[in-house]
Amino acid sequence: MNFVMKQALGGATKDMGKMLGGEEEKDPEATKKKKEEEEERQEALRQQEEERKDKHRKMEAEREVVRQSIRDKYGLKKKEEKEAEEKAAMEQACEGSLTRAKKAIPAGCGDEEDEDEESILDTVLKFLPGPLKDMFKK
């Protein structure tokens, strides 16, 4: 019977008493031992994490060496270098200016006004009914 119960509970018979409201261990040495084991486990986890990070740093350094050799071989530049050169070019273009660099405005975007074109008021007056036209013309 004990074997069947153990199989059904998955070997958790020791914890069954605690789950059913039984007595918990009051042994101070056992609690002290558990604390020490938990501290050791936490320290081992920290050490593993540090080793993992160190391993990844080394791998990334090796990858960067390979990337740099490819850049040198094909004459490519890093993204940071490209951005720095573009920024320097922009600063050089507006070196004496107190404001930011002006954006290029396409031709015909309102810089010059043509006398031949009708004014906005004339355009609006075309669509108004007769009595309203007279009011605006006065």
Side-chain angles (χ1 to χ4, degrees):
M1 181 69 177
N2 194 13
F3 176 75
V4 174
M5 190 68 162
K6 209 176 214 184
Q7 289 296 325
L9 297 174
T13 53
K14 292 179 184 176
D15 297 331
M16 280 302 291
K18 293 177 188 175
M19 285 192 251
L20 297 174
E23 293 288 321
E24 292 187 23
E25 296 179 21
K26 301 278 184 176
D27 189 14
E29 290 181 18
T31 56
K32 190 176 186 181
K33 186 178 177 183
K34 284 182 182 180
K35 284 182 183 180
E36 288 175 5
E37 289 175 357
E38 181 63 23
E39 288 175 3
E40 288 176 7
R41 189 182 71 81
Q42 290 293 331
E43 182 60 33
L45 287 174
R46 275 189 233 111
Q47 186 177 7
Q48 285 178 344
E49 184 67 17
E50 288 175 13
E51 290 172 359
R52 187 188 67 81
K53 286 182 180 181
D54 189 42
K55 176 183 169 186
H56 284 283
R57 273 189 231 109
K58 288 178 183 177
M59 286 174 29
E60 187 60 30
E62 291 172 3
R63 288 181 185 144
E64 187 58 35
V65 169
V66 172
R67 288 185 197 120
Q68 189 59 45
S69 67
I70 292 171
R71 281 189 211 107
D72 293 341
K73 181 177 178 180
Y74 294 105
L76 303 174
K77 296 181 182 178
K78 279 185 168 182
K79 283 185 180 181
E80 295 91 29
E81 291 175 3
K82 286 182 184 179
E83 291 172 358
E85 286 179 3
E86 290 173 1
K87 192 173 185 180
M90 286 295 290
E91 289 175 3
Q92 190 177 25
C94 60
E95 197 167 292
S97 176
L98 296 176
T99 59
R100 66 177 177 83
K102 293 183 180 179
K103 294 181 181 177
I105 300 173
C109 285
D111 289 342
E112 57 218 34
E113 293 185 27
D114 294 344
E115 297 287 332
D116 298 336
E117 292 185 19
E118 298 177 16
S119 69
I120 296 174
L121 184 60
D122 292 335
T123 308
V124 172
L125 287 176
K126 282 183 184 176
F127 296 104
L128 292 176
L132 288 175
K133 282 185 192 178
D134 296 335
M135 287 176 51
F136 281 108
K137 285 187 180 181
K138 290 182 182 180

